[in-house]
Amino acid sequence: MPTALITGITGQDGSYLAEFLLEKGYRVVGMVRRASTENFERIAHLRSRLELRQADLLDQLSLIDLLRAVRPDELYNLAAQSFVPTSWAQPVLTAEFDAVGVTRLLEAVRLVAPETRVYQASSSEMFGRVRETPQRETTPFYPRSPYGVAKVYAHYITVNYRESYGLFASSGILFNHTSPRRGREFVTRKISDGVARIKLGLTPDLPLGNLTARRDFGFAGDYVDAMWRMLQQPSGDDFVVASGEAHSIQEVVEVAFAAAGLDWRRYVREDPALLRPAEVDHLIGDASKARSVLGWTPRVTFAALIEMMVHADLDHLGAKAGRDSAGRGG
């Protein structure tokens, strides 16, 4: 039974990856930070099948102790401060987690677990002000946020450890991927949750930022398959993981409201306060290398993904409203 260690296991990608690896017969260990309030909602259905151990990307010794105890065959580093707007408010903390934290983790691997195969979560935000469209593994980076800058550092330090120390380290340059488990602060989930609340009469409208921004959207459950495939290769490498299609935020809105039988123009209002200080350009990924080398292809279409999210939020909020009503005796 191979052992996989997942940092960020309580997040969207971590929960889907844990499911995926358990189905393949892995022993799955999740790294969690000590927190006063613990949020295991996304992995609640898996808790009895997982091992959770405490460590922190900000604490080098905790990472060394963790790797020494677990001895993972595969390590998936998904832990990060992953919300771009927060990186403007907390740029130093973002750098500590997303850049220096990756260095701490790689150094721990080098010292005590050099045979471990490492997956590093890179990001399409590294491309920022794009130099070419579509973006591929060789496209130059031009990040437009503290988050993107930190991810570029993490990407190159991973390459550096691979080339300097011979570690098996692969980076997945993942374009936007979402799901019903996405945090509500991210725009796709904000939209699906907002649509459900409007449909159920819980809120009157949905404020959004830039509706013309275009992104390459995919389903997180498909993208964790690509992560695993990277670590089954003969050597470490870098791969763009993307759908190859770009859709505007307005298109997300149109599909989402249509899924609930609503006219989006009646409910959406643009809020200048939600605009980014610096917007990224036309992000669309060329995943040809992942398709040819890994044999990976996305399965869930854009429209099916957004509809899945709206229906999940309608079910969740509808059930919650029913429980609240029952609790009040109504």
Side-chain angles (χ1 to χ4, degrees), residues 58 86-100 146 150:
L58 303 185
T86 295
S87 77
W88 294 102
Q90 298 181 311
V92 176
L93 184 66
T94 299
E96 282 288 347
F97 274 115
D98 298 2
V100 183

Side-chain angles (χ1 to χ4, degrees), residues 18-153:
E19 281 179 348
F20 180 88
L21 294 174
L22 287 169
E23 288 173 10
K24 289 192 172 294
Y26 278 68
R27 169 194 175 215
V28 177
V29 182
M31 185 186 99
V32 294
R33 300 179 67 211
R34 177 73 183 93
S36 56
T37 56
E38 296 177 328
N39 182 7
F40 297 139
E41 179 184 353
R42 295 184 183 94
I43 57 170
H45 62 299
L46 304 173
R47 281 296 296 275
S48 63
R49 302 166 66 193
L50 300 172
E51 296 177 42
L52 299 182
R53 292 176 179 257
Q54 287 184 2
D56 198 316
L57 289 178
L58 303 185
D59 184 351
Q60 180 82 64
L61 186 58
S62 73
L63 298 173
I64 290 172
D65 288 344
L66 175 66
L67 287 168
R68 190 174 280 139
V70 174
R71 293 287 176 185
D73 299 288
E74 298 171 7
L75 166 57
Y76 297 86
N77 183 36
L78 310 183
Q81 191 300 99
S82 59
F83 189 44
V84 173
T86 295
S87 77
W88 294 102
Q90 298 181 311
V92 176
L93 184 66
T94 299
E96 282 288 347
F97 274 115
D98 298 2
V100 183
V102 176
T103 314
R104 292 190 189 98
L105 188 61
L106 289 167
E107 186 66 4
V109 170
R110 182 183 75 83
L111 290 171
V112 300
E115 302 304 314
T116 298
R117 296 184 168 213
V118 179
Y119 171 83
Q120 165 60 21
S122 288
S123 168
S124 61
E125 289 284 335
M126 300 189 304
F127 295 119
R129 180 180 283 174
V130 299
R131 305 290 88 186
E132 63 179 351
T133 301
Q135 294 87 51
R136 50 185 64 87
E137 292 79 8
T138 55
T139 302
F141 300 133
Y142 195 140
R144 298 270 281 168
S145 67
Y147 170 81
V149 172
K151 281 293 187 179
V152 169
Y153 175 98

Side-chain angles (χ1 to χ4, degrees), residues 16 20 178-179 219-226 299:
Y16 279 110
F20 180 88
T178 189
S179 74
F219 173 49
D222 288 344
Y223 285 31
V224 300
D225 178 17
R299 294 165 297 169

